[in-house]
Amino acid sequence: MLDKDVNNTYSDPKKSFSVILDSMRMKSDFLMNLEIRTEEDRKKLFEVFFHHKKFYSQVAESTPLSEFSTLYSKMKDTSLPYDDRVNMFINSVKGMELKDLRDMARELLHYLQPTDFPLWNRWIWNEEKNSGSITYVLKDNVTLENRDDFISAVNELKSILSIFGLDTSNYYPTTLFLVYSYVRYLDYTTHLAIDKKAAGLLPTHLSTTALVLGLKPFLKVVKYAHS
C-alpha cells in the first residue's frame, strides 16, 4: 500500500496535479507550434527535455541546423507512422547515444500527439531489461513481452485512472502517474542514504515529477497566470 505523499508541490495535491496537467498542455502546444529556423529555436527545443538538454551542444556541433529543421518538420507530420519517425530521429541526429535518441524521439511524439501515443522511455518501460515504472503496477506474475503488451497495460491504467475522474481523453494522466511512480521509487530506494534532517531541502515528489517531465519553463507561466 502507498502512504499518503506528504511531499507535494502545493499543500493541495489536486492543485499540483491540475497545474502539472496545464503545463503538459502548454508543452504540447509549444512543440506543435515550434519551427526550427535558428540555433536559438533548436536550443529552446532541448530546454524542455529534462534529460536531453545536456546534449544540446553535442547535437548542435554534430547535426547541421538545416538537417535538424527538416527532421523536426517530419516529426510533426502526423501522416507518417510512429516507428518511421522514431527511426528517422535516431538515424539523423548525431551527438547522443542510441538509447537517448530513442527516448527523446518517443517523448517528442508523445507531446506532439498526446491522444495517440503514451510516453514511452526507458524509465517508463525498458523493453530490453523489462524494467521501469509500468512494472510496479502490474499484477503478480505478469510481465510485458512486447510493445503490444506495454500499450495494453498503459491503456488499462488509463481506464482505471478515468474511473477516478482523471479522464482527459489523452495520455497525460498515465504519463504523470508513471513518472510520479518512478520518482517515488527512486526516493524510496535512496531514502536510507539521506540524512532526514536534510529532507526539507530536497525537491518534493510532484515537483521532481514536473522537473523530469521537462515542465519547468511552463510551470512558471502557469503559476504566474494563477497568481
Side-chain angles (χ1 to χ4, degrees), residues 162-182:
S162 69
I163 295 173
F164 294 93
L166 305 179
D167 186 2
T168 59
S169 76
N170 55 45
Y171 284 105
Y172 290 150
T174 60
T175 294
L176 180 49
F177 180 88
L178 290 171
V179 174
Y180 178 81
S181 298
Y182 171 76

Side-chain angles (χ1 to χ4, degrees), residues 125-156:
W125 183 53
N126 186 326
E127 61 264 49
E128 297 171 355
K129 298 180 179 180
N130 197 27
S131 61
S133 60
I134 189 66
T135 64
Y136 309 157
V137 298
L138 295 177
K139 297 177 182 177
D140 291 342
N141 302 317
V142 173
T143 58
L144 305 179
E145 301 293 341
N146 49 50
R147 176 167 62 181
D148 288 343
D149 287 350
F150 168 69
I151 298 298
S152 178
V154 173
N155 283 333
E156 183 175 353

